[in-house]
Amino acid sequence: EEQNITYRSCSNLRIHLCTSANFIELILTKDVSTLEAIYDLIDNSIDAARNDLFLKNKNELDKFGLPKSYKGYEVYIDIKEDYFSITDNCFGISKESLINKTFVIAEPSNHDYGIGQYGIGLKRSLLKIGNKYSFKIDNGQECYVANFDNQSFGIKKNLIAEITNSTGKPYTFFAVSELKDEVKKDILNKKWIDKAIQGLQDRYSIYFSKGFSVSLRYLDKDVLLSLKNSIPSLRTDGKFLPKTTPLTFGDVNVTIESGIHEQYYFPTESKYSLSINRKLTNDFGIYFICNDRVIVKSSTEQKHGWKTKWHSEYNGFVCLVRFTSKDPSNLPWNTAKSAMREDASLFLDVIEEIQPIADNYRSEIKNRYIKNKDVKTETDAGADTESRTYVGKDTESGTDAGEDTESGTD
């Protein structure tokens, strides 16, 4: 039985209730690779560009209800041995957001149709990459400048930013110095930078096709990037036309588009080329795309809805599964946007639709293109490949980034 016992107070003891900065850093960055941290920062820039489009009523929409063009918006990344910076011209940050949200961990972002939603992307990225930070944020009305470090997080105190005159053109600049040893090791690895560039193309393919631009300077040299859309379109000139399956789950719209790869032709067709078909093998399979951000690329894994062994009669098959939601927290992806949440009810319902679509493709292709038993399928063009590549986690950085392609380069 509880009793309220009162004591005569002689003095007070101040007891700390807080979280250490080191603990916050460990929890946020433990399972995130260097590349994922950089991609998070690019995601922030894209969200800012979309906000700017909506604010200016320049939001002509595509058939999925997302902005049709990001032309004129760009990101510039500078990577050195012990320095990293990212600059964009997308929107800047409002004074209110900077004061109350930008550096508050786990304060949910409110970007309509965004690709960052948990309020941890910017903070996690800075903490992952290095120990000292600076920013210069111009929202077109005022410019804010500050320097701080990794001990600024997790302790209840205020960051003081200097207010200067605006240039009149919004931009955001973040710089990180005193890079973590793991990050420095990644940066100096040639395979890592090659992987980073490929990851840019895989993840942001749709944004590049809409005019968004990324420039890179690496170890004091400008890198010529030819980033473009690597997501295949579907053929509309064949005997088997693209199929579209629209689904709605609450506030999430799902569109499953499937058909023949735009460059793939069968042996009975005049444009057939075995050498070209062989180059396309890694493009076949299932793609998962959330609010235009590619999460999974060319997968034939069971966890993504592929329930049988790959057969040559599936060659040419492309299935684009697009999730669109005004509230990104409703989308079935993980916080790093490196994989789909395979336990999410929405995701499980959607992938049940995929194998029947693939089997219908196989059946229709056999009937329309391979009726003649003398016509052989291309078993040497990817027939028995059981899985493809993904766009999720990075495997070069040694941070348990295992699934090197949950969307094309995972």
Side-chain angles (χ1 to χ4, degrees), residues 126-409:
L126 296 178
L127 290 168
K128 177 66 181 185
I129 295 172
N131 297 322
K132 292 189 175 181
Y133 324 111
S134 63
F135 67 72
K136 193 171 186 180
I137 299 169
D138 192 329
N139 59 22
Q141 298 175 338
E142 291 181 326
C143 183
Y144 313 105
V145 182
N147 298 289
F148 56 112
D149 61 30
N150 60 336
Q151 295 303 306
S152 301
F153 297 97
I155 301 172
K156 190 175 181 180
K157 63 180 181 179
N158 294 324
L159 171 64
I160 305 301
E162 178 186 356
I163 303 176
T164 63
N165 293 330
S166 169
T167 62
K169 295 182 179 180
Y171 71 90
T172 300
F173 166 83
F174 277 97
V176 185
S177 57
E178 279 193 14
L179 302 192
K180 300 292 173 61
D181 289 341
E182 175 194 326
V183 174
K184 288 194 281 189
K185 181 180 178 182
D186 285 342
I187 287 172
L188 296 176
N189 187 330
K190 179 63 168 58
K191 292 181 180 179
W192 179 88
I193 192 63
D194 290 342
K195 184 179 183 63
I197 294 170
Q198 184 62 51
L200 285 174
Q201 177 150 304
D202 288 336
R203 288 165 175 77
Y204 303 105
S205 274
I206 295 173
Y207 295 104
F208 296 141
S209 73
K210 294 182 174 184
F212 193 83
S213 172
V214 174
S215 300
L216 174 65
R217 186 169 178 80
Y218 174 65
L219 300 181
D220 296 317
K221 292 182 180 179
D222 291 327
V223 179
L224 181 61
L225 300 178
S226 56
L227 300 172
K228 59 190 179 194
N229 186 7
S230 64
I231 307 301
S233 296
L234 304 176
R235 277 184 58 185
T236 58
D237 63 344
K239 299 176 184 178
F240 181 79
L241 298 178
K243 307 292 183 184
T244 301
T245 304
L247 303 167
T248 302
F249 298 86
D251 295 329
V252 180
N253 292 321
V254 180
T255 304
I256 304 176
E257 295 181 307
S258 62
I260 307 170
H261 189 294
E262 60 185 334
Q263 297 178 40
Y264 186 86
Y265 289 88
F266 296 92
T268 54
E269 297 182 283
S270 60
K271 292 184 180 180
Y272 167 74
S273 168
L274 178 59
S275 60
I276 291 177
N277 284 359
R278 282 175 171 167
K279 293 177 183 178
L280 303 177
T281 300
N282 288 334
D283 290 347
F284 306 155
I286 310 161
Y287 295 69
F288 291 100
I289 302 163
C290 294
N291 282 356
D292 275 351
R293 171 75 140 78
V294 180
I295 309 301
V296 174
K297 178 183 176 184
S298 58
S299 170
T300 54
E301 289 201 38
Q302 185 173 0
K303 66 182 180 179
H304 295 138
W306 195 269
K307 299 181 179 180
T308 187
K309 184 178 180 181
W310 183 268
H311 188 279
S312 61
E313 290 172 353
Y314 289 113
N315 280 356
F317 177 71
V318 172
C319 181
L320 308 174
V321 184
R322 304 187 62 143
F323 297 82
T324 307
S325 178
K326 184 175 182 179
D327 182 354
S329 66
N330 292 329
L331 298 173
W333 51 7
N334 64 8
T335 63
K337 289 151 285 185
S338 61
M340 303 301 290
R341 280 185 45 228
E342 295 153 27
D343 61 341
S345 176
L346 167 58
F347 181 71
L348 293 172
D349 287 341
V350 169
I351 63 174
E352 283 299 312
E353 305 283 336
I354 293 176
Q355 193 61 52
I357 291 174
D359 291 341
N360 178 67
Y361 171 91
R362 180 180 181 181
S363 174
E364 292 290 337
I365 294 303
K366 286 175 69 175
N367 290 333
R368 298 169 192 244
Y369 289 101
I370 317 175
K371 287 181 180 178
N372 186 344
K373 293 184 179 180
D374 293 332
V375 177
K376 296 181 179 179
T377 56
E378 296 170 337
T379 55
D380 54 349
D384 295 321
T385 304
E386 288 200 52
S387 62
R388 297 288 181 265
T389 50
Y390 312 99
V391 177
K393 285 186 175 278
D394 159 43
T395 54
E396 298 289 339
S397 68
T399 64
D400 125 329
E403 314 170 76
D404 180 350
T405 37
E406 195 113 54
S407 69
T409 58

Side-chain angles (χ1 to χ4, degrees), residues 4-52:
N4 292 324
I5 303 175
T6 22
Y7 294 92
R8 185 174 180 182
S9 176
C10 298
S11 61
N12 294 323
L13 177 67
R14 184 181 296 273
I15 300 174
H16 293 290
L17 296 175
C18 64
T19 303
S20 75
N22 292 337
F23 178 76
I24 290 289
E25 179 174 334
L26 177 64
I27 292 299
L28 288 181
T29 65
K30 184 179 186 326
D31 297 321
V32 178
S33 71
T34 304
L35 286 183
E36 287 168 346
I38 293 173
Y39 297 146
D40 256 339
L41 295 174
I42 297 173
D43 290 345
N44 287 345
S45 296
I46 292 173
D47 280 342
R50 188 187 312 98
N51 287 351
D52 193 41

Side-chain angles (χ1 to χ4, degrees), residues 61-74:
L61 304 179
D62 62 16
K63 64 181 180 180
F64 303 103
L66 299 172
K68 200 170 187 177
S69 173
Y70 286 87
K71 187 175 182 180
Y73 295 101
E74 55 187 343

